[in-house]
Structure formats: C-alpha cells, structure tokens
DNA sequence: CTGTTAGCGCTTTCAA
DNA sequence: TTGAAAGCGCTAACAG
C-alpha cells in the first residue's frame, strides 16, 4: 500500500479523504491537538481550537471510524439478533424501532442479523452469528425473536455483553436466569378479566397452545386473575400446532363440540383472536353479540378487523428501548448491572366485547 | 494505552484476545505468514499452514475486525436505510430479509438505520443518516422505504455507493434516473385483468390514491392492460388521504353513490382491498358473489381474511436480494455497473373473484 | 515459500 | 496547553 503523506496524491489514489495529519499540518498544530478538539476533550485553548475547526472545514475532513475503533478497541455497534423467526413480524418490527430510537439517540449504530438453530437445547451444532463471534465486531447484542436459554448463556460466555427478550425464551425457569427484558402479562390480563367480569361474564375461556412458553405465561396470568375474581379458569388447549390461525379455528371447533357454556374467549394473541372471530362467524356466531373476544398484543390488525379487537397492549417500542438501555449500561459498566427488567401491559378496549347474551 | 506485547498481561488488562503476533510467535513464523493463512492466500506450504492453524486453535485466536478494516480501508458493512416509514411493515420486512440472506451469503453484515426527512424535495434541511456520513462506516447503502430522488442523488454524490428501491421513489421521472431496483407491476396486473376478463368481467374499476406514485404506476399498468383487452379503464380516485383503510372505505362509498355498473374492483394494494371488502360487507354486498376484488402485493393478510384475497404477488425477498447483489457489484466494480434492475410480478388466484352476477 | 517492515488513521501517554 | 511518539492489530509490498 503506497504511503502518500500528500493529500492530493492520496485522494487520487483512492477515495480516502484527508486524515487527521492533514488537518494538523494545515492548522499548524500536532495530531494530538486535533484529536482533542475532535473529541471535545479539555486542554485546548479556544484560539487553537478555532484554527483546527477552520482547517477541518476547509478540508472537508471527517474522522475515519475504523481507525478510531481500532485505537479505542470498541465499535459503537450494537447487534440486533432476530432468532428463529422467518422475518420481522409487526411485534419485532416495533421492538426494533424502539432499539433503533434509543441507539441513535446515544450515537450507536445497529447491526441486524438473523440467527437460526434448533430450539431443543442441544448446543452441539449451534454456532453463534458470525458477527457476534468476530471479536470486536460489535460491542454487544440484543437477542430478540425466540431463543433457547442455553444459547443466550453461550453468547454471554463468549464475553459478548448481551440482553435477551424474555418472553420468548425457551427453557427459562425464572425471570433473571439471564439478563433480559420482559413484558409483564399480569396487569393487562387482570384488567381484561376485570373488564369482562364487570360486563357480567362468568364463563371466560383461554384459547392457545400452552406448550409454547409465552402462551403458558399468559395462561398462568389468566388463571390467577380468574381465581382472584372468584371465577373458574378454563382452557381450550390446541397444543399440537404452532400455526396461530389454526389454533383459533380448532379452538372454536373444540369449544362448540364440547358444549360447555362460554360467554367470552381470551385468546393467546391477536392472530388467534381474529381467527376465532372468523371461525365463529362461519358458524353463525357474531362477536360481540353472541360471544365476547379479547386478544393479546394489541397489534395493528386490532383496528383492521371487524369488530375492532379489544386487546392487551404490549409496549413493544418501550421494550426495545429498555433492551437497548440495559445493554448499553452493561457495556459501559461491565459486571455492575444484571438481572431482569420488566415493562407493563394494559387493556385497550375496542368493540369485541359486550355483556353476555341473555340465554333465557 | 499500555503496550503489553505479552499475551497474558494484555488479556488481564482488557478483554482483548491474542493477536496475530502471538499466533506467529507460538507457531514460530512471521506475522505475514499467519495473515496469509488466515485469508486463504496462496504461497504457504501445507506444513507451516498446519502449524499456524494449530497455534490459532491453541490460543483461541479470532481476528480483530476493526484492524483488518482499517488496513484494507473497507468495512464489509452494508447499510439498510428505511426512509420515511414509521417502522418495518411486512413489505419491507421481507425486503430486508432478502437483503440479509444475500449479504450473509457473501459474508457482509448489515447495518439498520432509519431516516426521516420532508419528502418535498427541498434538500436544504436534509442531513444524511450519521452512519452514511461517517467516512468508512459502511461500504454502501440500500435506500428502502420512500425516498425523494434528490436525496438519493445527494447520497451518491457523497461518494457512498447506493441502490434505491425504485417503486417508492418520489420525483423520479424514468427508471434509470438513479441506480435502483423495481418490481414491474405490468405482468401481474395484466394477468389479473386477463383473469377477470376470462371470468366475464367487463366493468373493472381501479381504486386508489393516484397522487401517490406507486399507485399511479399501478393505475397506468391497469389502464394499459384494460385497453389491450378492449375494456374501458375507470378510476375510483380517493386522492385526499394516504390512509389505505380510508381509501378503501371511501372508494366503496363513491362507487355505490355513483351507481356506475361495476362487477370487479382492482385495489391499489391489499390493505385497500381488504378495506373494500369490509366496506362492501357493511352494505350487504358479498365478495365474490356480488362483486369481485383483487389486491396488489400478496401480503400475509391475503390468507388471513375471508374470502382469501386474490392478489398480484410482488417478490419482496427477491427484490431485496437484487438490491444487495446490485450494490455489492457497484462496490466491487465502481463505475462499471449502473441503471435499473427489475423483478417481475404475477397473479395469485384465491377466493375473492367469481364470474359477475347475472343482473337479469 | 517466508520473514521483515512500513504503513492504515486515530488515541493516548509523556515530556516539554 | 501542546507536540512528539508509541501503539491499536492487521495487510501488503519487498527482499530474501
């Protein structure tokens, strides 16, 4: 690689702009001084600082990020890892948005990576995303999507600071098993049950595949809330498929077959809820006239369907922002922060619930 | 910063792993040789290569990306810029997925950035995303979302290789005005019209806000196809709102108010189409019995609604992959490739169309 | 085939 | 308050 301390030559040789040395020479100061000005560090007289700034402007100088990163041994890059998801659905899109906002506010950039591996907890064949494995590539990682807890631990052990999205963790037995951010399904679920009860409902059933941990957590919150209001929890389990639309359809079928009295259905999430409403409609049952439905997530489809869906709101952007904040704290104070952080949920009332039909 | 050529000291001092020098010393070779082995460059005997690999394994060495980037003056990073969008909707999620697949296949990582600016073409107050402006941060950029053509040109002029998503470009007068990738609405639109015509439809109306360039392009494709099939194009324009749901509702209202004979509606996109179906249903009109509807995009909601929506498929992942391929070609052969690239569209038939109702 | 050396552009002592 | 100089870890040209 040619040396070329001459600015013009270097520019001609490759699109490599002026360097700090060029600025220093033009301003008639040392490189160190330019660096100090650049980083707003104290100990430079206003007079020289002005000279330096003038030179910077004149040359159209911008610092070379790579060089700075090498010298400081950091990257200012955060990696957003989406694990075991086909693509960014609305939920994680909004989480990503929250992460992005926070990062750009604190001057960090965001690397996006997908990661796929079998979720059975067998780490033997799992390799971390290349960008994480490459030392120095990123300062830390946010593990979103669905992760197995052992994989999160493995990344941590690599020495990469990381924070995981809690609710989709597989094999996690307690909140703070790894550094993570969760949404707390309890407050919103409680509100939903209270709301349905106040409408007069007593037979509220929960529909989902509770072999999936996030649905299992929702179900637990539902059960506790039901008991607190003196109602009997009842589950419509469709545990042999992970296709949300199918879960909804099959739940309705099972419900009607069983003949159990039911005036409201609490769906595991909005997709299931919408599917339930459609399946009900196909059988001539109208929501909320004949039966009430509440969803979970508060996704955009809540207002795109008819009737508009009452749903438990999950603050996805706040969740993302919290992940980013937590991670950056970990990065800047290694070993000083850890545990789980939680954001709350609440009910958003729309049109899909009504008092139970009087069965005279 | 302490020197520390001693491995142990350096590791204790900071989590900075072994360097190429440590490997060289352990293997009893020079740094250059290690570098050659690392990069699979020829000119190393298998014997020494084995020694080096052994040393690498023994030390658990991984190359420092930043140092390599500085030395080679490149970042191996591609920036995916989402412009003027609140967040990643399904469409761009899939584009991003396509970009990610391609990039990870060729060993490049992906930086995600949001960019907001007024779309009126007034560049005065527009600043490029920081990551783009920072020299050396990324090797190139994919400009997705909705961009004003002048902003794309401005980024190019910065010396950053870039490729834009064409269909959402504002102020673009011809395909190859900037390096871009487009989906071609013609083939799919033509198929849709042919299909409706073969079903017996003659009164097919297009519903959208054609002040939005993407809808305008769809409308033009629709018009041409109609004329080719000897049919008269007819537009239901709702040009005073950009809310797709509202466009659908208002289009139906306008259609019914006008009393014009209409047996099929070609919606500007799927959201408009679904909204049209719902608005129709509220007025007692059933799709496809009373009227046929076709959408555009082929988004996931096509199979989540009832009836399932017949729609023109846009190959979003392929589009993203093409953006990435194009950009990487530009990066590796500066000035040698340019222009516009196009991916095709096709019709996906589902349940929302039927022969027109016999109005006896 | 291989070791040595001179950078890449920036930060950070250290001495003045 | 400042300049000089020694790195950061790697690549690439050059000499052997």
């Amino acid at each position: 690689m040619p040396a070329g301390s001459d600015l013009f030559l270097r520019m001609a040789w490759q699109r490599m702009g002026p360097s700090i040395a060029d600025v220093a020479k033009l301003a008639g100061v040392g490189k160190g001084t330019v660096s100090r000005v650049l980083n707003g560090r104290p100990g430079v007289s206003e007079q020289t600082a002005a000279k330096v700034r003038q030179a910077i402007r004149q040359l159209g100088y911008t610092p070379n990020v790579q060089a700075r990163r090498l010298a400081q041994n950091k990257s200012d890059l955060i990696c957003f890892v989406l694990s075991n998801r086909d693509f960014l659905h609305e939920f994680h899109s909004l989480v990503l948005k929250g992460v992005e906002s926070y990062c750009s506010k604190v001057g960090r950039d965001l690397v996006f990576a997908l990661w796929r591996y079998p979720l059975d907890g067998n780490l033997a064949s799992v390799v971390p995303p290349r960008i994480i494995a490459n030392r120095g590539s990123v300062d830390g990682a946010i593990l979103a999507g669905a992760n197995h807890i052992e994989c999160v631990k493995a990344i941590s052990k690599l020495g990469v600071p990381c924070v995981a999205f809690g609710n989709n963790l597989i094999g996690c037995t307690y909140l703070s098993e790894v550094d993570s951010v969760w949404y707390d399904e309890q407050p919103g679920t409680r509100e939903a049950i209270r709301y349905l009860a106040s409408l007069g409902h007593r037979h509220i059933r929960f529909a989902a595949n509770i072999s999936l941990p996030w649905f299992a957590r929702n179900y637990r919150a539902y059960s506790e809330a039901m008991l607190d209001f003196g109602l009997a929890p009842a589950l419509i389990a469709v545990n042999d498929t992970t296709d949300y639309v199918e879960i909804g359809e099959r739940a309705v079928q099972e419900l009607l077959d069983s003949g159990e009295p039911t005036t409201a259905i609490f769906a595991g999430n909005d997709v299931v809820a919408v599917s339930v409403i459609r399946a009900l409609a196909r059988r001539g049952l109208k929501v909320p006239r004949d039966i009430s439905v509440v969803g979970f997530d508060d996704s955009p489809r809540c207002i795109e369907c008819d009737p508009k869906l009452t749903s438990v709101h999950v603050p996805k952007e706040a969740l993302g922002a919290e992940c980013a904040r937590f991670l950056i704290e970990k990065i800047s104070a290694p070993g000083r922060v850890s545990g789980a952080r939680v954001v709350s949920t609440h009910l958003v009332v729309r049109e899909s619930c009504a008092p139970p039909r009087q069965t005279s």
Side-chain angles (χ1 to χ4, degrees), chain A:
Chain A
M1 197 176 279
S5 77
D6 175 63
L7 172 59
F8 183 76
L9 256 185
R10 265 229 309 298
M11 289 191 65
W13 164 58
Q14 212 178 38
R15 60 177 65 260
M16 201 182 292
S19 82
I20 210 173
D22 302 309
V23 176
K25 199 188 301 172
L26 181 63
V29 301
K31 292 200 300 173
T33 304
V34 177
S35 175
R36 276 172 277 234
V37 173
L38 241 30
N39 296 289
R41 254 186 272 288
V44 182
S45 76
E46 182 44 46
Q47 199 177 358
T48 29
K51 271 197 307 192
V52 171
R53 274 192 290 269
Q54 162 61 21
I56 287 175
R57 217 170 2 237
Q58 195 171 324
L59 292 169
Y61 165 85
T62 30
N64 179 310
V65 191
Q66 316 291 4
R68 172 176 300 180
R69 286 173 181 170
L70 174 58
Q72 298 194 140
N73 188 33
K74 64 174 179 111
S75 70
D76 279 338
L77 249 35
I78 296 291
C79 187
F80 182 93
V81 181
L82 184 69
S83 299
N84 302 302
R85 286 274 177 262
D86 261 359
F87 74 109
L88 270 167
H89 298 267
E90 290 144 354
F91 187 96
H92 277 101
S93 286
L94 287 167
V95 174
L96 175 62
K97 187 187 175 191
V99 172
E100 206 280 343
S101 315
Y102 189 87
C103 284
S104 78
K105 208 160 53 188
V106 300
R108 288 177 177 268
D109 290 310
L110 204 56
V111 174
F112 179 84
L114 292 176
W115 191 20
R116 297 206 72 98
Y117 58 84
L119 278 170
D120 54 14
N122 178 6
L123 283 171
S125 58
V126 180
V127 294
R130 189 172 34 77
I131 182 129
I132 301 283
N134 280 181
R135 189 159 40 87
S137 248
V138 295
D139 291 342
I142 291 171
L143 301 175
N147 281 289
H148 194 284
I149 189 127
E150 291 307 326
C151 292
V152 178
K153 289 180 180 171
I155 298 280
S156 279
K157 225 160 281 166
L158 239 48
V160 180
C162 70
V163 169
F165 167 50
N167 300 69
N168 283 2
L169 243 26
I170 312 274
C172 182
T173 50
Y174 56 96
L175 274 186
S176 57
E177 190 170 353
V178 293
D179 292 343
S180 50
V181 179
W182 304 67
Y183 61 81
D184 179 3
E185 51 286 286
Q186 286 205 31
T189 300
R190 225 187 149 64
E191 256 189 273
I193 302 299
R194 188 211 315 277
Y195 169 65
L196 287 171
S198 76
L199 247 30
H201 291 274
R202 312 217 67 234
H203 302 291
I204 308 165
R205 310 189 91 195
F206 184 83
N209 172 349
I210 61 159
S211 74
L212 268 12
W214 43 100
F215 286 147
R217 292 180 53 87
N218 282 7
Y219 177 55
R220 204 175 55 198
Y222 152 87
S223 300
E224 286 170 8
M226 288 290 280
L227 293 173
D228 284 356
F229 286 99
L231 302 174
L235 171 67
I236 317 174
V238 182
N239 287 355
D240 52 357
T241 176
T242 58
D243 178 326
Y244 297 157
V245 174
E246 198 185 335
I247 291 174
E249 286 168 358
R250 300 257 307 280
V252 166
Q253 186 185 322
E254 203 168 301
L255 174 70
L256 297 188
D257 286 354
S258 77
E260 301 273 356
T262 302
T263 61
I265 297 179
F266 192 167
N269 70 22
D270 288 343
V271 180
V272 173
V274 169
S275 171
V276 161
I277 293 178
R278 281 225 316 279
L280 251 15
R282 275 201 295 274
R283 287 168 171 79
L285 260 22
K286 226 177 138 156
V287 173
R289 193 195 57 191
D290 301 309
I291 195 161
S292 292
V293 173
V294 3
F296 194 100
D297 256 8
D298 190 27
S299 60
R301 49 170 44 80
C302 287
I303 55 169
E304 285 177 15
C305 65
D306 199 14
K308 297 202 170 73
L309 188 64
T310 292
S311 183
V312 174
H313 177 78
V314 175
K316 306 158 198 79
E317 288 190 52
L319 189 87
E322 191 56 44
C323 286
R325 180 180 306 119
F326 193 177
L327 178 59
I328 290 171
E329 284 175 20
K330 280 189 69 172
I331 291 170
S332 35
R336 312 266 302 119
V337 291
S338 69
R341 323 256 259 228
V342 173
V343 298
S344 192
T345 55
H346 65 266
L347 186 69
V348 177
V349 174
R350 297 202 179 87
E351 310 166 346
S352 60
C353 299
R357 203 178 178 183
Q358 297 304 338
T359 41
S360 55

